[in-house]
Amino acid sequence: MNHHESGEPTHHQRPDGFIPLVYTPVTPEECLRRSEQLYRRMDQRRSVRQFSDRPVARGVIENLIRAASTAPSGAHKQPWTFVAVSDPKIKAAIRRVAEVEERKNYEHRMPEEWLEALEPFGTDWHKPFLEIAPWLVVLFQQNVERLPSGQQRKNYYVTESVGIAAGMFLSAVHEVGLVALTHTPSPMGFLSEILDRPPNEKPFLLIPVGYPAKGCEVPDLKRKNLAEVAVFLEE
Ligand code: IYR
């Protein structure tokens, strides 16, 4: 605790101090209405594997990343890097390696049970969307922060933080009328090399973003109902 010359105790533990919360009040009725609307809208989000090659302006991707980067994170470290790729040569390089690895996965690395679980999605090792989608957004997690001095500083709850940022990014993509896929080519280490990332960063998710292809189809999935995913304990 610090003391001003007046002798009044003040708190200066946090570098930026505190500011009033920016908060727009809402009535209970409006809150309920919005929650219904939000659910209806979110329920229309689908993972898409058939993309149009129609371009998406860089400014849109910038704002989606800004939005995702408002995610809460352990000790506000924001331990993520979004690498947005539209360069066709880099996309082709990513596709080339991803397909080599995925082919091994589908042909002998994935156990039968896993292949069966994937059957409804009709996926295989071919990943044309890695070249067709106008943007590949590769999300990296920073297990440690590298300071300009070269020193390293620990990050906290990195997986949770980056997972939340990824979810917010996917919601943002949906909100602006685009589609995405959460893709995890396995193993993902090659993305660090192709995208020239420093050693403190590890690939977390690869997210193709764009418009859906004309006639795009998605598997006829059913989502779990509320009782299957939630428990309420009330008085
Ligand atoms: N990474 C592979 C396999 C795959 C795994 C899961 I779990 C999926 O939900 C979907 C695919 C691929 O991308 O094909």
Side-chain angles (χ1 to χ4, degrees):
M1 194 178 290
N2 298 318
H3 292 264
H4 278 309
E5 277 155 25
S6 67
E8 284 293 303
T10 55
H11 298 268
H12 286 298
Q13 284 99 335
R14 289 168 184 77
D16 300 318
F18 282 74
I19 55 169
L21 172 69
V22 176
Y23 175 74
T24 315
V26 63
T27 63
E29 297 74 30
E30 174 65 6
C31 186
L32 179 61
R33 197 189 61 77
R34 282 195 218 168
S35 71
E36 289 163 352
Q37 243 182 12
L38 175 70
Y39 165 53
R40 270 200 301 278
R41 176 94 193 106
M42 294 285 274
D43 196 30
Q44 288 174 359
R45 188 207 54 79
R46 294 299 310 262
S47 291
V48 159
R49 292 181 173 81
Q50 296 162 273
F51 285 83
S52 159
D53 62 3
R54 182 177 165 194
V56 170
R58 172 177 160 154
V60 173
I61 303 297
E62 288 180 352
N63 285 329
L64 296 175
I65 295 171
R66 285 189 179 105
S69 202
T70 67
S73 60
H76 188 52
K77 296 288 188 180
Q78 298 181 266
W80 47 69
T81 306
F82 292 80
V83 179
V85 181
S86 68
D87 182 332
K89 287 196 279 307
I90 303 177
K91 289 196 294 181
I94 291 174
R95 178 183 179 182
R96 205 176 313 122
V97 186
E99 287 188 336
V100 168
E101 293 297 341
E102 287 295 315
R103 186 167 190 169
K104 290 183 213 163
N105 291 337
Y106 280 91
E107 289 183 353
H108 49 261
R109 285 203 292 230
M110 279 153 53
E112 203 52 46
E113 187 181 351
W114 193 349
L115 292 170
E116 268 167 36
L118 291 182
E119 235 161 61
F121 309 95
T123 57
D124 60 26
W125 61 265
H126 297 92
K127 304 298 175 193
F129 53 77
L130 292 176
E131 281 188 272
I132 297 170
W135 290 96
L136 302 181
V137 175
V138 188
L139 179 48
F140 287 82
Q141 64 179 74
Q142 302 166 0
N143 290 321
V144 296
E145 180 184 14
R146 283 214 311 194
L147 302 174
S149 65
Q151 273 184 312
Q152 297 206 335
R153 192 67 69 66
K154 203 174 145 32
N155 284 329
Y156 304 94
Y157 296 99
V158 171
T159 308
E160 291 83 348
S161 303
V162 181
I164 294 166
M168 289 180 61
F169 183 79
L170 296 170
S171 298
V173 167
H174 181 61
E175 189 59 31
V176 302
L178 297 175
V179 297
L181 174 68
T182 45
H183 183 45
T184 51
S186 172
M188 281 204 284
F190 72 92
L191 292 168
S192 298
E193 284 145 52
I194 293 178
L195 302 175
D196 198 25
R197 299 313 304 161
N200 64 313
E201 293 186 7
K202 213 176 78 178
F204 184 80
L205 264 187
L206 194 170
I207 309 173
V209 179
Y211 292 93
K214 221 181 256 141
C216 175
E217 290 190 325
V218 294
D220 185 15
L221 304 181
K222 300 281 172 281
R223 292 191 160 110
K224 289 182 180 175
N225 62 39
L226 186 64
E228 292 172 287
V229 299
V231 175
F232 285 82
L233 305 173
E234 296 174 288
E235 196 184 7

mmCIF file of all heavy atoms in Angstrom, residues 46-47 49 106 114-124 217-221:
data_model
loop_
_atom_site.group_PDB
_atom_site.id
_atom_site.type_symbol
_atom_site.label_atom_id
_atom_site.label_comp_id
_atom_site.label_asym_id
_atom_site.label_seq_id
_atom_site.Cartn_x
_atom_site.Cartn_y
_atom_site.Cartn_z
ATOM 1 N N ARG A 46 -22.389 -23.844 -38.234
ATOM 2 C CA ARG A 46 -21.966 -25.190 -38.582
ATOM 3 C C ARG A 46 -20.515 -25.172 -39.036
ATOM 4 O O ARG A 46 -20.051 -24.193 -39.621
ATOM 5 C CB ARG A 46 -22.846 -25.746 -39.726
ATOM 6 C CG ARG A 46 -24.321 -25.975 -39.352
ATOM 7 C CD ARG A 46 -24.477 -26.987 -38.236
ATOM 8 N NE ARG A 46 -23.736 -28.207 -38.504
ATOM 9 C CZ ARG A 46 -24.260 -29.314 -39.011
ATOM 10 N NH1 ARG A 46 -25.540 -29.386 -39.274
ATOM 11 N NH2 ARG A 46 -23.500 -30.370 -39.235
ATOM 12 N N SER A 47 -19.813 -26.251 -38.744
ATOM 13 C CA SER A 47 -18.480 -26.422 -39.310
ATOM 14 C C SER A 47 -18.636 -26.751 -40.784
ATOM 15 O O SER A 47 -19.451 -27.600 -41.149
ATOM 16 C CB SER A 47 -17.749 -27.571 -38.613
ATOM 17 O OG SER A 47 -17.450 -27.207 -37.287
ATOM 18 N N ARG A 49 -16.798 -27.611 -44.592
ATOM 19 C CA ARG A 49 -15.592 -28.109 -45.280
ATOM 20 C C ARG A 49 -15.589 -27.781 -46.762
ATOM 21 O O ARG A 49 -14.616 -28.049 -47.450
ATOM 22 C CB ARG A 49 -15.456 -29.619 -45.064
ATOM 23 C CG ARG A 49 -15.148 -29.995 -43.627
ATOM 24 C CD ARG A 49 -14.977 -31.497 -43.417
ATOM 25 N NE ARG A 49 -14.531 -31.773 -42.049
ATOM 26 C CZ ARG A 49 -15.327 -31.811 -40.999
ATOM 27 N NH1 ARG A 49 -16.617 -31.593 -41.134
ATOM 28 N NH2 ARG A 49 -14.825 -32.051 -39.796
ATOM 29 N N TYR A 106 -5.264 -41.466 -41.573
ATOM 30 C CA TYR A 106 -6.423 -42.251 -42.031
ATOM 31 C C TYR A 106 -6.018 -43.654 -42.448
ATOM 32 O O TYR A 106 -6.783 -44.597 -42.289
ATOM 33 C CB TYR A 106 -7.136 -41.535 -43.187
ATOM 34 C CG TYR A 106 -8.051 -40.425 -42.705
ATOM 35 C CD1 TYR A 106 -7.590 -39.114 -42.580
ATOM 36 C CD2 TYR A 106 -9.372 -40.694 -42.355
ATOM 37 C CE1 TYR A 106 -8.417 -38.094 -42.127
ATOM 38 C CE2 TYR A 106 -10.215 -39.686 -41.894
ATOM 39 C CZ TYR A 106 -9.733 -38.384 -41.781
ATOM 40 O OH TYR A 106 -10.559 -37.403 -41.329
ATOM 41 N N TRP A 114 -11.791 -44.637 -33.786
ATOM 42 C CA TRP A 114 -11.749 -43.222 -34.169
ATOM 43 C C TRP A 114 -12.323 -43.054 -35.587
ATOM 44 O O TRP A 114 -13.148 -42.167 -35.840
ATOM 45 C CB TRP A 114 -10.305 -42.703 -34.080
ATOM 46 C CG TRP A 114 -10.180 -41.204 -34.140
ATOM 47 C CD1 TRP A 114 -11.181 -40.318 -34.476
ATOM 48 C CD2 TRP A 114 -9.027 -40.414 -33.866
ATOM 49 N NE1 TRP A 114 -10.709 -39.027 -34.429
ATOM 50 C CE2 TRP A 114 -9.395 -39.068 -34.052
ATOM 51 C CE3 TRP A 114 -7.722 -40.709 -33.476
ATOM 52 C CZ2 TRP A 114 -8.484 -38.012 -33.876
ATOM 53 C CZ3 TRP A 114 -6.828 -39.664 -33.294
ATOM 54 C CH2 TRP A 114 -7.205 -38.328 -33.491
ATOM 55 N N LEU A 115 -11.894 -43.928 -36.491
ATOM 56 C CA LEU A 115 -12.401 -43.855 -37.868
ATOM 57 C C LEU A 115 -13.923 -44.004 -37.894
ATOM 58 O O LEU A 115 -14.621 -43.293 -38.630
ATOM 59 C CB LEU A 115 -11.737 -44.930 -38.729
ATOM 60 C CG LEU A 115 -10.236 -44.721 -38.982
ATOM 61 C CD1 LEU A 115 -9.608 -45.953 -39.641
ATOM 62 C CD2 LEU A 115 -9.975 -43.476 -39.833
ATOM 63 N N GLU A 116 -14.427 -44.898 -37.048
ATOM 64 C CA GLU A 116 -15.887 -45.084 -36.980
ATOM 65 C C GLU A 116 -16.576 -43.827 -36.479
ATOM 66 O O GLU A 116 -17.623 -43.435 -36.983
ATOM 67 C CB GLU A 116 -16.232 -46.260 -36.043
ATOM 68 C CG GLU A 116 -16.345 -47.591 -36.775
ATOM 69 C CD GLU A 116 -16.366 -48.764 -35.811
ATOM 70 O OE1 GLU A 116 -16.952 -48.638 -34.709
ATOM 71 O OE2 GLU A 116 -15.760 -49.812 -36.154
ATOM 72 N N ALA A 117 -15.950 -43.161 -35.466
ATOM 73 C CA ALA A 117 -16.543 -41.948 -34.908
ATOM 74 C C ALA A 117 -16.608 -40.837 -35.959
ATOM 75 O O ALA A 117 -17.460 -39.951 -35.898
ATOM 76 C CB ALA A 117 -15.743 -41.482 -33.690
ATOM 77 N N LEU A 118 -15.688 -40.888 -36.924
ATOM 78 C CA LEU A 118 -15.622 -39.828 -37.946
ATOM 79 C C LEU A 118 -16.498 -40.124 -39.157
ATOM 80 O O LEU A 118 -16.721 -39.243 -39.990
ATOM 81 C CB LEU A 118 -14.169 -39.640 -38.404
ATOM 82 C CG LEU A 118 -13.220 -39.037 -37.376
ATOM 83 C CD1 LEU A 118 -11.834 -38.866 -37.968
ATOM 84 C CD2 LEU A 118 -13.752 -37.693 -36.873
ATOM 85 N N GLU A 119 -17.016 -41.346 -39.240
ATOM 86 C CA GLU A 119 -17.784 -41.741 -40.420
ATOM 87 C C GLU A 119 -18.898 -40.767 -40.795
ATOM 88 O O GLU A 119 -19.027 -40.405 -41.975
ATOM 89 C CB GLU A 119 -18.346 -43.153 -40.244
ATOM 90 C CG GLU A 119 -17.939 -44.084 -41.379
ATOM 91 C CD GLU A 119 -18.076 -45.540 -41.000
ATOM 92 O OE1 GLU A 119 -19.226 -45.938 -40.703
ATOM 93 O OE2 GLU A 119 -17.059 -46.254 -40.983
ATOM 94 N N PRO A 120 -19.710 -40.313 -39.825
ATOM 95 C CA PRO A 120 -20.819 -39.424 -40.186
ATOM 96 C C PRO A 120 -20.369 -38.141 -40.894
ATOM 97 O O PRO A 120 -21.175 -37.479 -41.545
ATOM 98 C CB PRO A 120 -21.465 -39.064 -38.840
ATOM 99 C CG PRO A 120 -20.933 -40.035 -37.851
ATOM 100 C CD PRO A 120 -19.654 -40.590 -38.386
ATOM 101 N N PHE A 121 -19.102 -37.785 -40.755
ATOM 102 C CA PHE A 121 -18.640 -36.510 -41.316
ATOM 103 C C PHE A 121 -18.069 -36.676 -42.718
ATOM 104 O O PHE A 121 -17.828 -35.697 -43.422
ATOM 105 C CB PHE A 121 -17.589 -35.877 -40.396
ATOM 106 C CG PHE A 121 -18.058 -35.794 -38.972
ATOM 107 C CD1 PHE A 121 -17.731 -36.775 -38.060
ATOM 108 C CD2 PHE A 121 -18.886 -34.758 -38.567
ATOM 109 C CE1 PHE A 121 -18.202 -36.733 -36.762
ATOM 110 C CE2 PHE A 121 -19.363 -34.704 -37.269
ATOM 111 C CZ PHE A 121 -19.021 -35.699 -36.357
ATOM 112 N N GLY A 122 -17.855 -37.926 -43.107
ATOM 113 C CA GLY A 122 -17.350 -38.186 -44.455
ATOM 114 C C GLY A 122 -15.976 -37.588 -44.709
ATOM 115 O O GLY A 122 -15.614 -37.291 -45.845
ATOM 116 N N THR A 123 -15.183 -37.402 -43.662
ATOM 117 C CA THR A 123 -13.854 -36.808 -43.851
ATOM 118 C C THR A 123 -12.860 -37.860 -44.332
ATOM 119 O O THR A 123 -13.031 -39.052 -44.078
ATOM 120 C CB THR A 123 -13.316 -36.205 -42.538
ATOM 121 O OG1 THR A 123 -13.290 -37.229 -41.541
ATOM 122 C CG2 THR A 123 -14.183 -35.059 -42.063
ATOM 123 N N ASP A 124 -11.860 -37.439 -45.047
ATOM 124 C CA ASP A 124 -10.720 -38.311 -45.385
ATOM 125 C C ASP A 124 -9.478 -37.425 -45.438
ATOM 126 O O ASP A 124 -9.520 -36.283 -44.974
ATOM 127 C CB ASP A 124 -10.975 -39.075 -46.692
ATOM 128 C CG ASP A 124 -11.181 -38.148 -47.875
ATOM 129 O OD1 ASP A 124 -10.667 -37.004 -47.838
ATOM 130 O OD2 ASP A 124 -11.859 -38.551 -48.842
ATOM 131 N N GLU A 217 -22.946 -28.594 -48.438
ATOM 132 C CA GLU A 217 -23.723 -29.470 -47.566
ATOM 133 C C GLU A 217 -22.953 -29.750 -46.278
ATOM 134 O O GLU A 217 -21.722 -29.752 -46.278
ATOM 135 C CB GLU A 217 -24.028 -30.797 -48.269
ATOM 136 C CG GLU A 217 -25.019 -30.636 -49.407
ATOM 137 C CD GLU A 217 -25.506 -31.972 -49.955
ATOM 138 O OE1 GLU A 217 -24.705 -32.927 -49.992
ATOM 139 O OE2 GLU A 217 -26.677 -32.050 -50.329
ATOM 140 N N VAL A 218 -23.707 -29.995 -45.213
ATOM 141 C CA VAL A 218 -23.099 -30.351 -43.933
ATOM 142 C C VAL A 218 -23.800 -31.595 -43.407
ATOM 143 O O VAL A 218 -24.954 -31.859 -43.777
ATOM 144 C CB VAL A 218 -23.217 -29.193 -42.901
ATOM 145 C CG1 VAL A 218 -22.395 -27.983 -43.337
ATOM 146 C CG2 VAL A 218 -24.673 -28.804 -42.678
ATOM 147 N N PRO A 219 -23.125 -32.374 -42.561
ATOM 148 C CA PRO A 219 -23.783 -33.567 -42.026
ATOM 149 C C PRO A 219 -25.017 -33.197 -41.209
ATOM 150 O O PRO A 219 -25.053 -32.137 -40.576
ATOM 151 C CB PRO A 219 -22.709 -34.209 -41.145
ATOM 152 C CG PRO A 219 -21.519 -33.329 -41.176
ATOM 153 C CD PRO A 219 -21.750 -32.220 -42.125
ATOM 154 N N ASP A 220 -26.013 -34.070 -41.252
ATOM 155 C CA ASP A 220 -27.279 -33.817 -40.548
ATOM 156 C C ASP A 220 -27.117 -34.169 -39.074
ATOM 157 O O ASP A 220 -27.563 -35.215 -38.629
ATOM 158 C CB ASP A 220 -28.388 -34.654 -41.207
ATOM 159 C CG ASP A 220 -29.750 -34.355 -40.603
ATOM 160 O OD1 ASP A 220 -29.881 -33.323 -39.904
ATOM 161 O OD2 ASP A 220 -30.676 -35.164 -40.815
ATOM 162 N N LEU A 221 -26.464 -33.303 -38.346
ATOM 163 C CA LEU A 221 -26.180 -33.570 -36.930
ATOM 164 C C LEU A 221 -27.332 -33.117 -36.056
ATOM 165 O O LEU A 221 -28.037 -32.167 -36.384
ATOM 166 C CB LEU A 221 -24.926 -32.813 -36.489
ATOM 167 C CG LEU A 221 -23.632 -33.043 -37.248
ATOM 168 C CD1 LEU A 221 -22.524 -32.203 -36.627
ATOM 169 C CD2 LEU A 221 -23.273 -34.508 -37.240
#
